[in-house]
């Protein structure tokens, strides 16, 4: 969410009515999240000036660990230098820390491609935004899910119930520090996640949703202490409930 919001912001800056705008003091502290959107808190160090040049050799974009040769345009300006400066700063301050760690396994290669392409400045801001929107579409639609055996048949579902909230086993990347709370596309995906975790014996699908509209599911090591909740469905492994009376 943070990276996509940043890319949308940089897309606007690259195509603003004032021309391409560079953020000269590009640091994480210069941004704040407002209702799910990243905003710049300080525009004092923004500039629409692009480096003047006479030849391509005048257009080297330097960073502490990398340099990029750019082209000198016919009007004597280094082509796209502001856009590329913003994009590489987004890569080194945001993408490298946020992109690799929390996506479903099937989407990680696509995010790795974005990471590598922006780190080498092979993508401009237009290509980067399209790549992010493709990943978002796959994520929201569930098209990233690989064909696999149907596992939900191995669970008993109880509508209108959930288990008593409390600290349970933890997983990554959980929305809660008290347990294992993950976003899912469907109960079938939740069943696959539960089967992949040794501790998991049940999961609860709630009506709480993430910014992408995906429901949240709580994965738990037991299924006892059920309480009524009209907005939840608890799924219990048949193997865990064998010999017990529901």
């Amino acid at each position: 969410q943070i990276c996509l919001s940043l890319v949308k912001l940089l897309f606007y800056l690259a195509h603003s009515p004032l021309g391409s705008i560079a953020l000269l003091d590009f640091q994480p502290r210069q941004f704040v999240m407002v209702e799910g959107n990243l905003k710049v808190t300080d525009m004092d160090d923004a500039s629409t000036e692009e480096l003047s040049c006479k030849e391509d050799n005048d257009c080297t974009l330097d960073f502490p660990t990398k340099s990029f040769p750019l082209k000198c345009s016919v009007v004597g300006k280094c082509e796209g230098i502001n856009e590329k400066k913003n994009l590489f700063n987004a890569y080194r301050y945001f993408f490298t820390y946020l992109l690799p760690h929390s996506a479903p396994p099937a989407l990680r290669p696509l995010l790795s491609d974005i990471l590598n392409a922006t780190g080498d400045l092979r993508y401009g801001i237009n290509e980067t935004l399209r790549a992010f929107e493709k990943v978002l579409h796959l994520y929201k639609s569930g098209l990233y899910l690989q064909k696999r055996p149907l596992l939900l048949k191995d669970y008993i579902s109880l509508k209108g119930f959930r288990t008593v909230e409390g600290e349970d086993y933890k997983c990554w990347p959980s929305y809660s520090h008290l347990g294992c709370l993950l976003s899912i596309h469907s109960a079938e995906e939740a069943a696959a996640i539960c089967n992949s975790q040794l501790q998991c014996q049940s999961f609860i699908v709630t009506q709480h949703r993430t910014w992408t509209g995906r429901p949240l599911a709580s994965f738990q090591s037991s299924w006892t202490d059920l309480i009524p909740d009209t907005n939840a469905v608890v799924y219990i492994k048949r193997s865990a409930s064998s010999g017990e009376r529901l």
Side-chain angles (χ1 to χ4, degrees):
Q1 181 181 14
I2 293 171
C3 292
L4 175 62
S5 187
L6 176 59
V7 168
K8 288 180 177 179
L9 172 62
L10 297 188
F11 179 86
Y12 173 79
L13 293 179
H15 301 285
S16 84
L18 299 176
S20 183
I21 300 174
L23 301 176
L24 303 181
D25 186 18
F26 198 115
Q27 299 284 342
R29 64 173 180 268
Q30 300 281 28
F31 300 89
V32 64
M33 290 292 286
V34 179
E35 296 181 350
N37 295 306
L38 208 66
K39 306 285 187 181
V40 184
T41 60
D42 185 2
M43 292 293 289
D44 289 346
D45 294 311
S47 173
T48 58
E49 291 296 320
E50 293 197 308
L51 187 65
S52 299
C53 58
K54 294 183 178 179
E55 56 184 26
D56 290 349
N57 288 339
D58 297 329
C59 294
T60 301
L61 182 57
D62 289 316
F63 292 96
T65 58
K66 277 189 175 182
S67 295
F68 299 95
L70 305 181
K71 297 290 185 180
C72 182
S73 71
V74 293
V75 296
K77 298 290 183 180
C78 295
E79 286 186 358
I81 192 168
N82 286 351
E83 173 187 328
K84 294 180 186 299
K85 185 180 296 182
N86 286 341
L87 191 54
F88 189 78
N89 279 327
Y91 159 80
R92 64 178 181 146
Y93 287 120
F94 287 88
F95 297 172
T96 54
Y97 296 104
L98 299 177
L99 284 186
H101 305 299
S102 60
L107 292 178
R108 288 174 193 167
L110 296 179
L111 293 177
S112 180
D113 288 344
I114 294 174
L115 197 62
N116 293 332
T118 53
D120 295 334
L121 286 185
R122 287 185 284 110
Y123 279 2
I125 191 61
N126 294 357
E127 295 87 350
T128 303
L129 180 57
R130 282 198 297 269
F132 267 101
E133 288 179 335
K134 176 183 177 181
V135 174
L136 180 63
H137 172 67
L138 294 173
Y139 185 61
K140 292 175 69 174
S141 66
L143 291 173
Y144 68 92
L145 294 170
Q146 300 170 345
K147 290 184 178 179
R148 63 183 72 183
L150 298 178
L151 301 172
L152 199 59
K153 66 182 187 308
D154 298 328
Y155 289 78
I156 297 169
S157 66
L158 295 174
K159 294 182 180 180
F161 289 93
R162 63 174 174 83
T163 57
V164 176
E165 293 182 7
E167 191 166 347
D168 207 321
Y169 77 90
K170 299 174 177 61
C171 66
W172 176 260
S174 177
Y175 283 81
S176 170
H177 67 281
L178 295 176
C180 186
L181 184 66
L182 303 174
S183 76
I184 56 168
H185 176 257
S186 63
E188 186 64 52
E189 183 183 14
I193 293 172
C194 189
N195 276 26
S196 71
Q197 299 173 345
L198 292 177
Q199 306 99 316
C200 186
Q201 297 297 315
S202 66
F203 62 89
I204 304 160
V205 178
T206 72
Q207 291 194 347
H208 297 294
R209 296 182 178 269
T210 68
W211 66 282
T212 60
R214 288 162 56 98
L216 290 174
S218 176
F219 298 85
Q220 299 182 340
S221 59
S222 67
W223 57 271
T224 56
D225 299 326
L226 296 179
I227 59 174
D229 186 337
T230 57
N231 296 319
V233 182
V234 60
Y235 294 83
I236 304 164
K237 280 184 178 179
R238 292 184 184 275
S239 58
S241 64
S242 60
E244 301 286 347
R245 295 184 64 187
L246 292 178

